[in-house]
Each structure stands twice: as C-alpha cells, then as structure tokens.
Amino acid sequence: MGAAAAVRVLVVDDSPVDRRVVERLLRTHCGGGGGAGGGEGAAPFHVTAVDSGKKAIELLALRLEGRRRKQLSPSAASDADEQAIDIVLTDYCMPEMTGYDLLKAIKALGSPNPIPVVVMSSENEPQRISRCLTAGAEDFILKPLKTNDVQRIRKCSGDRRCNNVSSSSSRTKTKTKLSPSDHTAKKVATPEQKTSHLAGLLAMVMNASSLEVSVSHYFQFVFKFILIAYAVLCLSQLLHRWSNGSFLSLWSA
Amino acid sequence: MAGAALRDQLSALLSSMFSQGLVDEQFEQLQMLQDEGGTPGFVAEVVTLFCDDAERIIAEIATLLEQPIVSFDKVDAFVHQLKGSSASVGAQKVKFTCMQFRQFCQEKSRDGCLMALAVVRNEFYDLRNKFQTMLQLEQQIQAYDHKQQ
C-alpha cells in the first residue's frame, strides 16, 4: 500500500447546491496540493452525499452491517460501496431531522467507537455551537466552507484513524517497554513514582493477552538474570584485583 | 478574432456582476475550484442547481403567502433555505434580500412578506439572466476553441 487510503466522508445536507459545492471542495483540496492528479501525498476524500438525516442513518447502519459481515467472513468480496464511513459532515438546519438530532443518533449508533461528526451551519450562534460540541461533535464549521476548513475536517477524521493505528502498535510497545521500565521502577527514588510505575506495569500486563504476558515475563527474567550475572562478574573482578595489589592495578587491563 | 471578442464580453460581464454586488468572493471561489480541480462545467452545474432550487423555493413561498392563514414559520424556513443556497453560490444581492425578508417573517406581516418576495424575485430573475448570458458565452467560447483545434 503506497498511497494513503482515502478518507470516506458522508455529507448530509438538504440543499443540492450546498452538497455539490462541499463535494467539489473536498475532492479538489486534498490537503496542500490539489490539482487534477488528485491525492498525491495527502489522502484523497471519497465523498458520499445524502439529503436527509434519515438517509444518513440508514446508510451508516448499512455500512456497519457490511463491516460486521466482512469481519465474520473475511473471504467475502469487499465492495467499495460497503466500506465504513470515516467522518460525517452534516448541515445543522434540516427538515424533520436536524444536524443535532443526527449527531446524537450517530453517537448512539456507533458506541463504543462512534464515527466523528462535524456540524456546519450558516448561522453563527454560540448556543448552537456549544450545544453541538457538548453532544460530541468534533468541530463546528460556518458556511459557506472555505479551503482551510478542509484541513479541519481532515484533522477530525485523522484522529479516529490514528486511534485505530495506535491501538495495534501500542501492544508491541508495551512488550519492549516492560523490562526497562521495570528496572527504572526499582531505581527511582520516591515511592510514589515507584507505585505509579508498578501500577502502570500492572495495567500494561493486564491489557496484554495471556500469551504476551508469559512472553514478557520470560523476557523480564532473562534480562534480570543477565544483569545480575554481569554485576557479579564485575564485582568478582574488582575484588580479585583489590586483593592482589594496590589500587593502581585496578586501572590496568 | 471572434474568440477574443467573446472572451472580452465574458470578462466584462463578470466584472460588472462583481462591481454591482450581484456576486461576491464565494462565486470567485467556485471559479477557482473549477480551474484548480480541472472540472470544466462545475460552475455551470452549480449555477443551474441554484436557479432550479431558487425557482422552486420562490414558488413555494408564493403559494404559502396566498393561503388565508399564513404559516410564517414555514415561509421563514424556505427563506432560510434560499439564503443558504445563495450564500453557497455567492449570489450576494439575493442573500441580502433574503435577510430582509426574514425580518418581515418575524414581524408576521403578510404585506411585508409579499413585498419582500417581489424584491427577491426581481433580484433572482436579474441574476438568472446574467448567469444564462454567462453560460451562453462560455459555450460559444468553447465551441470556437474546439473549431480552432
């Protein structure tokens, strides 16, 4: 996989003009370069647009269902249209289901890992903005959208993907961190730091799977053994030289 | 020669639209998006979408204002929609007249709303004529360039 994977955006707006303009804005400004080549370096946007909150929820539920089916049977052919949405960009003022209602529905739909939602509105109302942010919106953007708003949207979707990536890499990190941090826990002066380190260690150990725990314990023992053996050797060397002659001989080879 | 004359006409039309305040920098943004994205016809598409949408909204508002009892909330919702669309396209004058229209909706004045609707309609028709001329000129220029190649 050379190029960055596309960021899949779901645009929800009852106005056809706004849908078209936002779609073109996202497709053109792929972060930094733009141009007809599309997505050189920065991940391109893959835009799906619907005209109501109801259709948005239906589409999201469908995509989630598709992903679950794919997880159960990975060999099944993956349709590009069935891939999950990375971020939802919704208008606030819509008939029947407002952007705020849609925001709450999406958060309820996707717990524990809900899809990030960015709300747009033509009205600059502080109460509306704080309401949306409190309900869990990643950001609130004023219409009409500008070029630098695309960066904000990219960042909001980027956080989610970083979370997915870091959760898998943090496991490998805990394995290597376990041994040196164990020693640093011993050497640290204050007892509070020691207990917090040990607590952190315990948490890391508990989070890891059973196989990883046994492997990391093994590494711990090996590491300790090697260090102790080395310390013993050094001490014996020192004692030997001390008993043989004066201090000066300690420095000679 | 004819190609240059057409281009001059088009740029004169566009600069007059800007100087008269018919369109603002949002319209300029759309033109830039078309050029940067390499998608000719984007502006034409958006302008057409806007004109159809505005036509529909104005007709709906007119129907609502003809009712014996006017639902000012519904009228306000439609005016809000039109204001949003015109802001997205960069139709500045139409947007401003929509903002004034909303005042009358809040005052719940039928006469005020009817007057505001007439103003919005006039501004919209004026802008639509200019857009249609602009699209015609663009098509002629494209056809001329195509013939030259």
Side-chain angles (χ1 to χ4, degrees):
Chain A
M1 252 202 230
V7 177
R8 291 174 294 268
V9 187
L10 176 64
V11 176
V12 190
D13 200 320
D14 58 326
S15 159
V17 176
D18 289 350
R19 281 201 302 274
R20 191 72 189 88
V21 172
V22 168
E23 184 190 357
R24 178 100 308 268
L25 186 68
L26 289 172
R27 288 227 177 106
T28 306
H29 291 277
C30 301
E40 311 270 5
F45 283 110
H46 187 267
V47 182
T48 312
V50 294
D51 63 3
S52 72
K54 192 162 149 249
K55 286 196 188 153
I57 290 288
E58 282 170 10
L59 190 142
L60 288 170
L62 209 66
R63 297 279 175 106
L64 274 175
E65 199 42 56
R67 196 165 68 171
R68 280 196 203 109
R69 272 192 277 116
K70 199 180 159 201
Q71 278 175 350
L72 290 173
S73 57
S75 57
S78 66
D79 194 3
D81 285 342
E82 280 200 359
Q83 292 190 356
I85 300 288
D86 294 319
I87 182 166
V88 174
L89 181 58
T90 178
D91 186 25
Y92 186 92
C93 289
M94 294 191 289
E96 289 173 14
M97 193 183 200
T98 68
Y100 181 72
D101 298 329
L102 177 61
L103 164 67
K104 295 214 285 198
I106 289 173
K107 294 298 168 188
L109 188 71
S111 54
N113 207 11
I115 300 170
V117 180
V118 173
V119 182
M120 332 179 253
S121 176
S122 49
E123 315 278 309
N124 190 1
E125 260 181 61
Q127 271 191 353
R128 180 183 289 189
I129 297 172
S130 64
R131 227 172 126 218
C132 289
L133 293 175
T134 311
E138 300 296 319
D139 206 349
F140 191 102
I141 301 181
L142 287 176
K143 285 163 121 181
L145 262 63
K146 302 270 183 295
T147 313
N148 49 1
D149 292 330
V150 179
Q151 288 303 321
R152 288 163 74 180
I153 295 166
R154 179 181 296 284
K155 243 188 5 170
C156 290
S157 70
D159 286 341
R160 174 185 166 84
R161 299 161 68 113
C162 278
N163 284 338
N164 284 338
V165 169
S166 66
S167 63
S168 56
S169 63
S170 63
R171 286 239 179 114
T172 51
K173 280 186 188 163
T174 49
K175 272 201 321 204
T176 51
K177 265 190 188 162
L178 221 51
S179 339
S181 59
D182 185 42
H183 282 275
T184 54
K186 289 197 161 92
K187 286 179 188 165
V188 156
T190 60
E192 292 130 31
Q193 282 186 354
K194 233 196 255 184
T195 49
S196 67
H197 268 280
L198 286 171
L201 274 173
L202 274 170
M204 278 196 277
V205 165
M206 293 224 239
N207 279 337
S209 65
S210 57
L211 177 67
E212 282 177 41
V213 165
S214 58
V215 170
S216 58
H217 271 161
Y218 174 71
F219 276 136
Q220 265 187 74
F221 283 127
V222 167
F223 213 105
K224 282 185 213 173
F225 183 73
I226 289 170
L227 275 167
I228 289 168
Y230 184 67
V232 163
L233 275 170
C234 286
L235 273 170
S236 61
Q237 272 274 340
L238 275 169
L239 283 168
H240 187 70
R241 286 188 184 163
W242 205 355
S243 63
N244 274 353
S246 66
F247 258 108
L248 284 169
S249 69
L250 280 169
W251 306 117
S252 60
Chain B
M1 275 304 230
L6 285 171
R7 278 178 221 278
D8 286 342
Q9 256 189 301
L10 180 60
S11 64
L13 173 65
L14 285 170
S15 58
S16 82
M17 283 167 75
F18 277 107
S19 62
Q20 285 173 21
L22 282 177
V23 291
D24 57 21
E25 61 266 6
Q26 176 64 16
F27 187 69
E28 222 178 319
Q29 255 236 356
L30 296 185
Q31 288 175 317
M32 280 184 349
L33 276 178
Q34 175 172 283
D35 297 334
E36 277 177 33
T39 47
F42 166 65
V43 173
E45 194 188 336
V46 174
V47 159
T48 312
L49 277 172
F50 167 68
C51 290
D52 292 343
D53 198 38
E55 185 100 60
R56 176 189 63 90
I57 290 173
I58 288 174
E60 298 265 17
I61 294 174
T63 311
L64 282 170
L65 288 176
E66 280 167 17
Q67 305 301 315
I69 298 175
V70 176
S71 164
F72 287 102
D73 291 334
K74 285 189 185 164
V75 174
D76 186 59
F78 276 120
V79 178
H80 177 78
Q81 265 187 48
L82 182 57
K83 180 174 145 262
S85 302
S86 51
S88 294
V89 152
Q92 194 180 37
K93 258 199 182 167
V94 175
K95 183 181 78 175
F96 285 150
T97 51
C98 286
M99 283 157 75
Q100 289 165 355
F101 197 149
R102 292 192 82 185
Q103 291 284 358
F104 289 116
C105 288
Q106 269 154 28
E107 290 168 19
K108 300 205 192 296
S109 148
R110 185 208 282 265
D111 288 338
C113 285
L114 283 168
M115 192 180 70
L117 178 62
V119 172
V120 167
R121 206 188 241 127
N122 281 339
E123 292 295 343
F124 167 65
Y125 285 161
D126 186 28
L127 179 63
R128 189 173 63 173
N129 286 338
K130 299 255 161 54
F131 275 151
Q132 279 169 350
T133 311
M134 178 189 86
L135 293 180
Q136 272 172 15
L137 282 171
E138 278 183 354
Q139 278 175 1
Q140 286 173 351
I141 290 169
Q142 269 183 10
Y144 185 78
D145 287 344
H146 193 70
K147 258 202 278 186
Q148 292 298 91
Q149 281 169 5

